[in-house]
């Protein structure tokens, strides 16, 4: 057993109201004790116990490692031309997700694994210590199962998203594709995944199809998540709550009944501001959800088409600027909120018993994540008790 004292913390976000002030459990002039891979103690620096080693962070702020609960990291190619056309106001006729599907199918296992590792490392340098990723760019039994096998070699939070869109080969027979996704493909993918997801949206899968897919996954031991109400009003949010999905993600177009369902149920509303930034779409109304009592998470939606960012600090700044969140709410949602979306109690907080995942900011307060957008404030990252970046 090895113990390390992190002291000289100007402002510590614990996300534990029992040991600090407010929902963030904020402690000023604070210290942390790390014992092997977990937090053993947190409190005022003047009351810190003795430890084997001491590290002084010089008055800087410390926050829990970010928990990014929605990403698409197993892909080939990129869609630079599509983004450039969209931002330039020009028409672009390439196939969107289908373009990535073709490139992903053509990529080798080694290329896909290197891509996942690259973006996980990129996120880690920016303070993300837990990151989910999905399949969804293969759309065949072989390519979906290999995507999940590759992803599971890099992260524990792996989601089967065979129901991203209907595979091009079965575009004229979506019922046959749903049968594949809930049958042979599910059988091949379930051993590598923890979650099952579906894009419930016009042009993807309707409510009945989404219900069949999520129900089949649940029968195989996978926990539902759902892409819901991103592009239009629809059944996704209420279906997710009904099926006890861990999260309903996007949540841009919501009726009062949708908001009430999220507030009353156990499904987390995960908002993905990078997607709205990159597509110039309508911003989700986080204020409406929070005021109703819903639990909100923030995530990057890192993917090559609609949100090619791995930066949780960037998403925090967007949420504060454009989605009606306070800096405190945005930081909570990017840490504890993401943990709830992954149904984790060991991450997203810095209190005794939690995994020792944290980010040191070159700033005196967590508020600077929104106050100084685009500035690389994360200068040190610890995961499971080891310093892994900075």
């Amino acid at each position: 057993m090895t113990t390390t004292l992190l002291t000289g913390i100007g402002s510590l976000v614990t996300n534990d109201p029992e040991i600090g002030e407010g929902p963030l459990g904020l402690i000023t002039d604070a210290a942390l004790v790390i014992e092997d891979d977990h937090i053993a103690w947190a409190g005022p620096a003047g009351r810190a116990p003795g430890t084997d080693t001491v590290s002084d962070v010089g008055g800087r702020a410390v926050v829990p490692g970010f928990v990014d609960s929605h990403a698409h990291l197993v892909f080939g190619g990129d869609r630079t031309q599509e983004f450039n056309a969209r931002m330039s106001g020009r028409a672009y006729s390439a196939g969107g997700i289908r373009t990535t599907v073709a490139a992903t199918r053509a990529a080798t296992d080694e290329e896909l694994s290197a891509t996942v590792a690259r973006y996980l490392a990129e996120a880690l340098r920016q303070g993300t210590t837990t990151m989910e990723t999905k399949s969804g760019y293969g759309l065949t039994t072989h390519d979906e199962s290999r995507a999940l096998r590759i992803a599971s070699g890099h992260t524990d939070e792996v989601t089967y998203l065979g129901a991203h869109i209907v595979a091009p080969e079965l575009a004229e027979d979506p019922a046959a594709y749903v049968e594949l996704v809930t049958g042979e493909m599910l059988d091949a993918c379930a051993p590598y995944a923890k979650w099952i997801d579906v894009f419930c949206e016009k042009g993807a899968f309707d409510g009945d199809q989404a219900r069949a897919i999520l129900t089949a996954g649940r029968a195989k031991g996978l926990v539902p998540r759902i892409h819901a109400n991103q592009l239009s009003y629809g059944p996704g949010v209420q279906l997710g709550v009904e099926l006890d999905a861990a999260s309903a993600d996007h949540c841009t177009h919501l009726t009062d009944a949708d908001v009430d369902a999220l507030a009353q149920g156990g499904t987390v509303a995960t908002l993905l501001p990078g997607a709205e930034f990159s597509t110039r779409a309508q911003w989700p109304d986080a204020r409406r959800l929070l005021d109703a009592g819903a639990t909100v998470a923030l995530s990057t939606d890192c993917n090559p088409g609609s949100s090619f960012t791995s930066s949780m600090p960037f998403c925090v700044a967007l949420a504060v600027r454009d989605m009606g969140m306070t800096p405190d709410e945005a930081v909570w949602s990017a840490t504890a909120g993401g943990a709830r979306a992954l149904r984790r109690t060991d991450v997203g907080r810095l209190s005794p018993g939690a995994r020792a995942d944290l980010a040191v900011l070159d700033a005196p307060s967590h508020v600077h994540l929104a106050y100084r957008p685009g500035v690389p404030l994360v200068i040190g990252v610890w995961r499971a008790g080891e310093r892994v970046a900075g």
Side-chain angles (χ1 to χ4, degrees):
M1 182 180 69
T2 302
T3 56
T4 300
L5 176 69
L6 259 61
T7 191
I9 301 172
S11 175
L12 173 65
V13 173
T14 69
N15 285 336
D16 187 342
E18 294 188 3
I19 64 173
E21 181 181 350
L24 291 186
L26 196 65
I27 305 173
T28 56
D29 189 18
L32 282 173
V33 174
I34 298 171
E35 183 179 293
D36 293 336
D37 62 352
H38 66 277
I39 302 296
W41 181 89
R47 292 164 42 194
T51 57
D52 299 321
T53 60
V54 178
S55 180
D56 192 322
V57 302
R60 295 177 172 89
V62 171
V63 301
F66 298 116
V67 181
D68 189 345
S69 61
H70 183 128
H72 305 249
L73 304 183
V74 190
F75 64 86
D78 77 8
R79 281 148 66 184
T80 302
Q81 292 180 334
E82 175 186 328
F83 176 80
N84 191 33
R86 184 166 64 238
M87 293 297 107
S88 303
R90 300 194 307 268
Y92 186 72
S93 58
I97 291 173
R98 289 173 179 81
T99 301
T100 302
V101 169
T104 303
R105 290 177 178 180
T108 65
D109 287 10
E110 292 74 19
E111 288 168 337
L112 294 177
S113 183
T115 296
V116 176
R118 173 186 176 183
Y119 293 112
L120 285 172
E122 182 179 274
L124 184 66
R125 292 193 298 271
Q126 299 172 88
T128 298
T129 50
T130 302
M131 195 168 191
E132 180 267 5
T133 190
K134 309 177 190 299
S135 63
Y137 292 126
L139 310 186
T140 67
T141 297
H142 167 74
D143 286 299
E144 286 294 297
S145 61
R146 78 165 178 144
L148 294 169
R149 172 176 49 80
I150 289 166
S152 66
H154 296 276
T155 178
D156 294 334
E157 301 295 344
V158 178
T159 301
Y160 168 45
L161 182 61
H164 200 180
I165 59 170
V166 176
E169 299 83 1
L170 291 171
E172 302 304 316
D173 192 358
Y177 187 66
V178 171
E179 184 177 353
L180 175 65
V181 167
T182 57
E184 172 190 303
M185 188 186 289
L186 174 60
D187 291 341
C189 290
Y192 301 109
K194 178 177 180 180
W195 311 96
I196 184 167
D197 200 345
V198 58
F199 188 17
C200 184
E201 186 62 69
K202 294 176 183 176
F205 299 90
D206 64 25
D208 290 340
Q209 293 167 330
R211 180 189 299 278
I213 291 163
L214 295 180
T215 300
R218 193 167 60 178
K220 283 286 187 179
L222 304 182
V223 181
R225 328 182 64 79
I226 189 166
H227 283 59
N229 301 55
Q230 177 186 5
L231 306 176
S232 60
Y233 295 97
V237 162
Q238 293 191 53
L239 175 62
V241 174
E242 176 193 336
L243 296 180
D244 193 30
S247 67
D249 298 8
H250 290 288
C251 294
T252 304
H253 298 275
L254 301 180
T255 64
D256 288 345
D258 295 331
V259 174
D260 289 344
L262 289 165
Q264 298 300 319
T267 298
V268 173
T270 300
L271 308 183
L272 313 171
E276 281 71 38
F277 177 87
S278 297
T279 60
R280 292 178 174 158
Q282 174 184 325
W283 296 101
D285 188 347
R287 183 79 270 136
R288 182 184 179 199
L289 287 162
L290 290 165
D291 288 348
T295 300
V296 172
L298 289 176
S299 185
T300 63
D301 192 18
C302 185
N303 76 83
S306 60
S307 183
F308 205 4
T309 180
S310 59
S311 175
M312 288 291 277
F314 175 62
C315 291
V316 166
L318 290 179
V320 172
R321 168 64 178 80
D322 291 303
M323 288 164 42
M325 302 185 87
T326 68
D328 284 12
E329 289 167 339
V331 169
W332 189 94
S333 294
T335 52
R340 291 207 186 172
L342 293 175
R343 294 188 172 169
R344 297 277 296 269
T345 59
D346 61 327
V347 297
R349 63 183 176 95
L350 291 174
S351 56
R355 198 171 75 179
D357 293 357
L358 59 94
V360 180
L361 308 181
D362 194 14
S365 167
H366 64 279
V367 176
H368 282 234
L369 289 165
Y371 182 40
R372 304 197 67 210
V375 177
L377 294 179
V378 176
I379 61 166
V381 182
W382 297 64
R383 184 169 60 188
E386 295 186 15
R387 187 162 185 159
V388 292

